[in-house]
Amino acid sequence: MRLVEMHPSDLVYADEATRITGVPGQVIRQWARRGRIRKFSGDGRPSGLGHGQRTMYALPEIAALAPSYRPTPQRAPRAA
């Protein structure tokens, strides 16, 4: 998706993208770090937990990658 095709309503915070797409916020941030999606500076509005959210992501980019996301199974705890 090109930057000129984005609308301001396409930019969401990680927790909103998680609710919409089902991809965990940690994975979204990892995709941004690796350059698969772009991140944008947010407005620092409170998230309700006392923290300001500063990074926004393009929802169409996350939605395009969401079908390829597969959660990694965790190891079962070992018996002592």
Side-chain angles (χ1 to χ4, degrees):
M1 173 173 236
R2 294 179 14 199
L3 189 59
V4 295
E5 296 172 346
M6 269 193 251
H7 194 267
S9 64
D10 290 338
L11 297 178
V12 295
Y13 292 102
D15 61 337
E16 296 171 31
T18 298
R19 275 197 315 270
I20 295 169
T21 61
V23 177
Q26 184 177 3
V27 173
I28 293 171
R29 289 186 287 277
Q30 187 67 248
W31 286 347
R33 244 188 321 252
R34 292 179 179 171
R36 295 183 75 186
I37 59 174
R38 288 177 289 222
K39 58 184 179 178
F40 303 91
S41 59
D43 56 4
R45 71 180 170 134
S47 65
L49 301 173
H51 301 285
Q53 298 179 354
R54 292 183 173 82
T55 306
M56 298 182 89
Y57 305 94
L59 186 60
E61 290 180 346
I62 297 170
L65 290 174
S68 66
Y69 169 71
R70 301 228 192 307
T72 304
Q74 302 301 309
R75 287 187 185 177
R78 294 184 184 196

